[in-house]
């Protein structure tokens, strides 16, 4: 009893009534949270799906140790300046394709929609994490100062949605279309006039006649961002089965993040990739059948085969630009051959 009273006396204050008030413990103050600014290629409506759920989850799981502030297309810097802004530390991280943000690497042409590189969304993950593209991207960005490539994933296929119907290659000629740089370069072979505009201006540009259509997405995005309200037709042929996008970070800022938070961010990127897989896959089918806003059109297979044949020539031209692009093109061809030999459901026909 005496020992217990001695402990309580030393630990706190014994009152006249015998009650004891324990001394307040030393308060360990948490270090200020790490703050990041991440800008995505996507506008707000699209960003609600392709990035915001993942960033919200990260901020919650980081438990005050790190906070990522999310910015949408062109909010801090134009999309074409994302790479440089990240490199110089104006922003800390980016979600984009390599092509749109003008990454100074030879593999940038494969980001976004490289013609006929993919048939299905799962092709992207298979190519990067089973067939060697991840190592090539790490090598390419390892040669660039202060930018780290982190992870790649798939988005939707590349279709046309237009004000007038497209039922033949002839119908494409002269059409002013918003699209990605490399996709636009390829489509110009068929008379398409690629147009570059800020993402948020696209809907109005279609309404005013500045654009005849869009080749930037699948049907899920057309409905999500409002483009289905200003275009009447959706072409079922596509020039790529999935968009290739990535997460990047300023290297100095990435290296300053503790290992456990780096792992948490890696899990967050995987969560984002997974969400998009089922969101797009479900949306592409459902909205073709039940969307109701756009009429579906198709260029006949025999005519579309000429576009695919031109894609082979385009691959050869890109392959000739560097040893690394040649390596990527070989991987794409070997992968396509493998899928064709595997047969359904990997490839049909």
């Amino acid at each position: 009893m005496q020992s217990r009273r001695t402990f309580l006396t030393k630990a706190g204050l014994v009152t006249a009534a015998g009650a004891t008030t324990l001394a307040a413990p030393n308060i360990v103050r948490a270090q200020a949270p790490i703050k990041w600014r991440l800008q995505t290629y996507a506008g707000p409506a699209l960003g609600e799906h392709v990035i915001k759920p993942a960033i919200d989850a990260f901020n919650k799981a980081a438990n005050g140790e790190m906070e990522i502030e999310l910015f949408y297309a062109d909010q801090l810097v134009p999309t074409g300046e994302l790479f440089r802004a990240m490199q110089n530390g104006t922003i800390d991280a980016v979600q984009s394709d390599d092509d749109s943000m003008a990454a100074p690497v030879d593999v940038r042409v494969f980001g976004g929609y490289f013609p006929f590189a993919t048939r299905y969304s799962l092709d992207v993950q298979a190519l990067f994490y089973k067939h060697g593209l991840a190592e090539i991207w790490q090598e390419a960005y390892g040669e660039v100062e202060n930018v780290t490539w982190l992870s790649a994933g798939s988005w939707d296929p590349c279709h046309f949605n237009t004000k007038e119907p497209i039922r033949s290659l002839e119908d494409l000629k002269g059409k002013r279309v918003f699209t990605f740089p490399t996709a636009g370069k390829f489509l110009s072979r068929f008379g398409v006039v690629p147009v570059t505009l800020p993402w948020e201006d696209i809907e109005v540009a279609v309404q005013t006649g500045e654009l005849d259509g869009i080749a930037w997405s699948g049907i899920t995005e057309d409905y999500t961002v409002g483009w289905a309200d200003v275009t009447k037709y959706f072409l079922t042929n596509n020039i790529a089965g999935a968009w290739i996008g990535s997460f990047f970070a300023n290297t100095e800022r990435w290296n300053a993040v503790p290992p456990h938070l780096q792992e948490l961010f890696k899990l967050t990127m995987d969560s984002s990739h997974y969400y998009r897989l089922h969101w797009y896959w479900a949306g592409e089918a459902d909205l073709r059948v039940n969307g109701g806003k756009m009429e579906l059109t198709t260029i006949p297979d025999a005519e579309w085969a000429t576009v695919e044949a031109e894609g082979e020539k385009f691959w050869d031209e890109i392959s000739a630009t560097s040893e690394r692009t040649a390596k990527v093109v070989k991987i794409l061809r070997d992968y396509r051959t493998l899928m064709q030999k595997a047969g359904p459901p990997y490839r049909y026909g």
Side-chain angles (χ1 to χ4, degrees):
M1 190 64 170
Q2 182 62 34
S3 297
R4 183 180 176 189
R5 183 176 294 277
T6 301
F7 167 75
L8 292 173
T9 303
K10 290 180 178 179
L13 298 175
V14 179
T15 65
T20 303
T21 303
L22 294 179
N26 291 328
I27 297 175
V28 180
R29 297 191 178 276
Q31 188 178 11
I34 298 168
K35 299 276 191 176
W36 265 21
R37 300 199 299 177
L38 184 155
Q39 184 170 313
T40 178
Y41 74 97
L46 181 58
E48 283 288 330
H49 291 278
V50 301
I51 183 67
K52 190 176 184 296
I55 297 303
D56 287 347
F58 176 88
N59 287 336
K60 183 177 181 179
N63 198 31
E65 294 184 64
M66 184 170 174
E67 296 175 8
I68 299 176
E69 187 175 6
L70 178 62
F71 295 89
Y72 298 106
D74 305 312
Q75 278 193 324
L76 294 179
V77 298
T79 296
E81 298 176 15
L82 278 175
F83 188 92
R84 296 302 182 191
M86 174 173 49
Q87 190 175 46
N88 65 31
T90 301
I91 52 180
D92 304 295
V94 165
Q95 180 200 46
S96 176
D97 67 289
D98 319 62
D99 203 23
S100 296
M101 69 175 190
V105 293
D106 50 6
V107 296
R108 64 171 280 186
V109 295
F110 301 105
Y113 292 119
F114 188 67
F116 304 110
T118 57
R119 180 70 63 87
Y120 305 119
S121 52
L122 277 175
D123 289 340
V124 176
Q125 275 82 347
L127 282 163
F128 271 84
Y129 301 108
K130 180 65 176 178
H131 292 270
L133 292 194
E135 290 78 11
I136 293 175
W137 259 244
Q138 288 169 346
E139 175 189 84
Y141 284 95
E143 298 170 1
V144 178
E145 184 179 358
N146 211 27
V147 168
T148 297
W149 173 83
L150 295 174
S151 179
S154 62
W155 273 251
D156 50 340
C158 183
H159 293 264
F160 285 83
N161 55 300
T162 54
K163 294 163 64 174
E164 298 177 356
I166 305 296
R167 295 190 173 94
S168 71
L169 293 181
E170 185 67 25
D171 293 335
L172 289 175
K173 292 182 178 179
K175 294 293 188 295
R176 294 159 298 178
V177 173
F178 173 66
T179 189
F180 292 87
T182 297
K185 183 179 179 181
F186 176 70
L187 291 171
S188 66
R189 300 181 179 213
F190 305 95
V192 172
V193 180
V195 178
T196 300
L197 290 170
W199 192 90
E200 287 291 343
D201 294 344
I202 303 309
E203 184 173 343
V204 173
V206 173
Q207 291 174 305
T208 61
E210 187 176 355
L211 288 175
D212 299 304
I214 303 161
W216 203 83
S217 71
I219 200 168
T220 307
E221 289 189 12
D222 293 338
Y223 277 79
T224 300
V225 306
W227 293 341
D229 297 322
V230 296
T231 54
K232 295 181 180 180
Y233 301 94
F234 180 85
L235 182 65
T236 59
N237 311 78
N238 67 59
I239 66 164
W243 188 77
I244 298 174
S246 292
F247 286 87
F248 307 82
N250 175 281
T251 302
E252 292 179 1
R253 294 291 283 161
W254 174 249
N255 290 340
V257 174
H260 70 288
L261 291 177
Q262 287 187 347
E263 290 301 315
L264 180 60
F265 192 69
K266 291 175 184 177
L267 292 171
T268 299
M269 292 185 290
D270 286 344
S271 173
S272 175
H273 297 329
Y274 171 71
Y275 179 94
R276 291 191 314 276
L277 280 176
H278 63 76
W279 183 63
Y280 279 122
W281 185 257
E284 295 304 299
D286 179 62
L287 291 170
R288 283 192 185 198
V289 177
N290 300 313
K293 292 182 179 181
M294 293 190 293
E295 179 183 335
L296 304 184
T297 64
T298 301
I299 295 174
D301 289 344
E303 191 174 1
W304 190 250
T306 64
V307 181
E308 295 179 341
E310 194 65 30
E312 290 298 310
K313 298 177 185 177
F314 190 74
W315 282 24
D316 289 338
E317 292 170 13
I318 297 301
S319 179
T321 59
S322 75
E323 290 185 9
R324 190 154 49 213
T325 57
K327 188 175 181 180
V328 173
V329 169
K330 184 179 186 307
I331 288 173
L332 294 178
R333 283 188 163 131
D334 289 347
Y335 177 79
R336 181 178 59 188
T337 299
L338 176 68
M339 294 295 105
Q340 289 169 339
K341 288 181 177 179
Y346 299 95
R347 292 293 186 269
Y348 290 86

